[in-house]
Amino acid sequence: MKYDSHKLVEMLIADEGMELQVYTDSLDIDTIGVGRNLEDRGLTDEELQHLGYTSLQDVYMNGLTLYGARYLLRNDIAIVEKELCRAHPCVEELDEARQMVCINMAFNLGMPRLNRFKKMWAAIHKGDYGTAALEMLDSKWADQVKGRALRLSNLMKTGTLNG
């Protein structure tokens, strides 16, 4: 992948927010950090050990440090990137901005919902990024995330992080 991982981390923190204590998200799911779903994904034994905890209960009681939240985010990005590239290998050939858009959307929506953007994916596969950008905006997702969708759509259309 061609993207700058630091830029992606900052983009996702800006879009998703970061909570160092467990909270209940809009779907009534226990969440922490930058959107880590504690009910479905939880934390691996390795992650708990890295964070200095022995159980998930420690996370519920003590929360995360900024470092811990970023550590989990990087792990989540790696998972999302693998799922995304498995479903759409063309993503590996996109430029930095468009890779970041796809990862951002996959992070926000999850791959099952992102795969439903059939016309967007068809346009991406053809290299028709203007149509892909329009298809992004023609969605319930765009109505829900508003400014984020407009910004990501513009990145898809232009292929540049500066415009």
Side-chain angles (χ1 to χ4, degrees):
M1 299 287 268
K2 302 169 188 164
Y3 67 87
D4 178 324
S5 63
H6 178 72
K7 288 180 191 173
L8 180 62
V9 164
E10 296 308 315
M11 174 193 276
L12 288 171
I13 290 171
D15 285 340
E16 296 282 333
M18 179 188 291
E19 294 289 336
L20 301 181
Q21 299 298 320
V22 176
Y23 66 98
T24 304
D25 73 5
S26 61
L27 300 175
D28 205 31
I29 296 170
D30 287 350
T31 307
I32 198 164
V34 185
R36 172 61 74 100
N37 177 327
L38 292 176
E39 294 176 24
D40 294 338
R41 181 157 289 155
L43 276 82
T44 65
D45 290 340
E46 181 182 318
E47 288 172 331
L48 286 169
Q49 183 178 3
H50 188 88
L51 296 169
Y53 292 141
T54 57
S55 73
L56 191 56
Q57 191 59 36
D58 293 335
V59 176
Y60 274 84
M61 288 180 7
N62 302 309
L64 296 172
T65 63
L66 286 172
Y67 169 81
R70 286 175 174 272
Y71 165 75
L72 293 179
L73 175 57
R74 288 187 183 280
N75 290 353
D76 289 344
I77 289 169
I79 292 166
V80 167
E81 182 180 313
K82 186 182 290 185
E83 292 172 349
L84 181 62
C85 290
R86 187 179 316 123
H88 301 281
C90 66
V91 171
E92 293 186 64
E93 304 306 317
L94 297 175
D95 56 63
E96 176 184 38
R98 293 180 178 118
Q99 284 181 346
M100 289 172 65
V101 167
C102 291
I103 293 169
N104 188 309
M105 290 182 73
F107 194 93
N108 185 240
L109 291 162
M111 282 310 302
R113 286 184 23 207
L114 184 58
N115 281 332
R116 291 186 210 146
F117 284 63
K118 304 266 187 231
K119 292 177 183 177
M120 179 195 79
W121 284 115
I124 290 172
H125 284 271
K126 288 190 256 182
D128 183 356
Y129 304 116
T131 298
L134 290 173
E135 292 300 333
M136 289 168 63
L137 296 176
D138 186 21
S139 67
K140 182 179 177 183
W141 168 78
D143 293 338
Q144 293 170 338
V145 300
K146 298 185 185 356
R148 180 181 191 171
L150 288 170
R151 186 174 41 77
L152 293 178
S153 173
N154 188 52
L155 293 176
M156 177 62 74
K157 181 179 178 182
T158 65
T160 177
L161 295 171
N162 300 326

